[in-house]
Amino acid sequence: MAALIAENFRFLSLFFKSKDVMIFNGLVALGTVGSEELFSVVAFNCPCSPARNYIYGLAAIGVPALALFLIGVIWNNHTWNLVAECHKRGIKNFSAAATFLLFGSIMGRAAVAPVTWSVISLLRGEAYICALSEFVKPSSLDKFPAEYGAEVLAKFPCRDVPANLTKFRDEVTRRLRYESQLFGWLLIGIVAVLVFLTKCLKHCCSPLSYRQEAYWAQYRSNEDKLFRRTAEVHSRILAAKNVKQFFGFVALDKEEKELVQEFPVEGVQPSPQWNAITGVYIYRENKGFPLYSRLHKWAKGVEGNGPTPEGHELLFLAS
């Protein structure tokens, strides 16, 4: 039993280590839930006025969702890789399938937070009730007083109504909350089906085996970490050399002195090298050997992003 439990924990550890994107999306969703709860408690305040309710209710759902979507697009590395690709090389080397994969990856990741916000807003129901209370037909309410109209219905979310309308307010609130939560659950179901179909399509169309795809993910993660760490050290040493040349000395702490002595930096990389390792990368092979990134391709001396006589491009974008 102990061995079985240990094996299960080991499996879970490996699973989460290989699912960085899944964990990141989960954290984004949790953060969005917390933000929506805080917004509802602190900021949401229905105006309870005809014509204003609808605009305010939709804005409370749509504007934060739009802002979260744009933030997701901005934070996605694929966005800026695409910008660099279009600026430096254009997209003439991209097929329609590759372009679809790229935009799908950007939009899919950016949609996590806004979809979560919309779902939680619909499940809570306050914004939906605020937006649509004035549009409830009085004729649909049994024995609703004829002298009251949309102006009174618009005040139902604020509970500022005559005593004889309390039961009608409760009925309208219950009806609209039901509709709002129904739309929320339907949105969850639709998103779940889309995610499932997308994952199935991705793995069915992938030219890589499951193990090689996992290795590719590990390589990209390690390359990115090492590149950032090395770039930070390289820039610090280069800055120290330039400061020393200007002042005649440079004030370094013990760790920085060790770095300067251990890693001699003679100069900077020319712009063509930076351009070669920057941009969108689609999985390629050269003479049967995989090229896992633009840096890997540059290190192997392979030019271009399109297919060549010695290699071929496979339409599979890094997730």
Side-chain angles (χ1 to χ4, degrees):
M1 176 62 77
L4 179 60
I5 295 175
E7 186 65 27
N8 287 334
F9 275 113
R10 190 178 300 111
F11 169 77
L12 290 174
S13 175
L14 293 173
F15 174 81
F16 284 111
K17 286 181 180 179
S18 64
K19 301 295 180 181
D20 292 339
V21 174
M22 181 185 299
I23 295 173
F24 176 77
N25 289 342
L27 293 175
V28 170
L30 289 175
T32 305
V33 171
S35 300
E36 204 282 336
E37 291 291 334
L38 181 63
F39 173 82
S40 297
V41 173
V42 177
F44 186 81
N45 188 13
C46 185
C48 294
S49 174
R52 295 180 180 177
N53 283 13
Y54 184 70
I55 297 175
Y56 185 82
L58 291 183
I61 299 176
V63 173
L66 176 61
L68 290 171
F69 177 78
L70 294 177
I71 291 173
V73 172
I74 292 172
W75 277 357
N76 195 325
N77 289 334
H78 285 325
T79 301
W80 306 115
N81 285 333
L82 177 62
V83 172
E85 189 75 23
C86 293
H87 178 66
K88 297 297 181 182
R89 290 175 284 270
I91 58 174
K92 58 182 181 298
N93 291 324
F94 285 176
S95 65
T99 304
F100 175 79
L101 283 174
L102 178 60
F103 278 100
S105 175
I106 294 174
M107 300 302 172
R109 291 191 186 182
V112 173
V115 167
T116 303
W117 179 278
S118 300
V119 166
I120 298 301
S121 296
L122 289 172
L123 292 180
R124 289 182 60 88
E126 281 86 352
Y128 187 89
I129 294 172
C130 176
L132 297 181
S133 61
E134 64 183 284
F135 297 104
V136 175
K137 294 181 179 180
S139 59
S140 66
L141 302 173
D142 187 31
K143 299 180 180 180
F144 188 81
E147 63 269 20
Y148 298 114
E151 187 170 337
V152 172
L153 289 170
K155 296 181 179 180
F156 278 10
C158 296
R159 302 179 180 273
D160 184 18
V161 296
N164 63 325
L165 297 181
T166 301
K167 67 174 183 178
F168 297 107
R169 182 200 65 204
D170 294 340
E171 182 180 349
V172 169
T173 301
R174 183 169 56 252
R175 183 187 302 179
L176 293 178
R177 191 180 301 278
Y178 154 77
E179 293 178 1
S180 179
Q181 292 183 349
L182 177 62
F183 289 140
W185 291 120
L186 288 176
L187 182 57
I188 291 176
I190 292 171
V191 171
V193 171
L194 289 176
V195 170
F196 172 74
L197 293 177
T198 301
K199 295 294 289 185
C200 290
L201 182 63
K202 175 187 174 183
H203 287 290
C204 289
C205 298
S206 172
L208 307 179
S209 66
Y210 174 77
R211 290 186 180 276
Q212 188 178 7
E213 188 176 338
Y215 177 84
W216 186 22
Q218 292 174 346
Y219 172 84
R220 293 197 312 271
S221 177
N222 289 326
E223 181 188 83
D224 182 66
K225 291 177 183 177
L226 291 173
F227 188 90
R228 291 176 182 273
R229 192 186 309 163
T230 304
E232 196 277 333
V233 172
H234 185 281
S235 61
R236 185 184 302 184
I237 296 174
L238 181 63
K241 291 182 60 177
N242 293 335
V243 170
K244 182 178 181 179
Q245 185 172 355
F246 183 83
F247 287 107
F249 73 96
V250 58
L252 301 175
D253 57 29
K254 182 179 180 181
E255 179 183 357
E256 290 171 334
K257 289 179 180 179
E258 293 176 352
L259 288 176
V260 171
Q261 293 175 356
E262 184 176 359
F263 304 109
V265 173
E266 301 299 333
V268 298
Q269 286 67 32
S271 293
Q273 288 187 9
W274 286 104
N275 293 337
I277 66 170
T278 303
V280 177
Y281 183 74
I282 297 175
Y283 178 80
R284 298 186 67 231
E285 292 183 358
N286 183 261
K287 298 180 180 179
F289 291 93
L291 300 173
Y292 290 120
S293 68
R294 281 195 168 275
L295 181 60
H296 189 189
K297 186 177 68 173
W298 173 84
K300 292 296 184 181
V302 180
E303 299 293 335
N305 192 42
T308 64
E310 295 81 13
H312 61 280
E313 181 182 276
L314 301 176
L315 299 179
F316 191 58
L317 185 70
S319 58

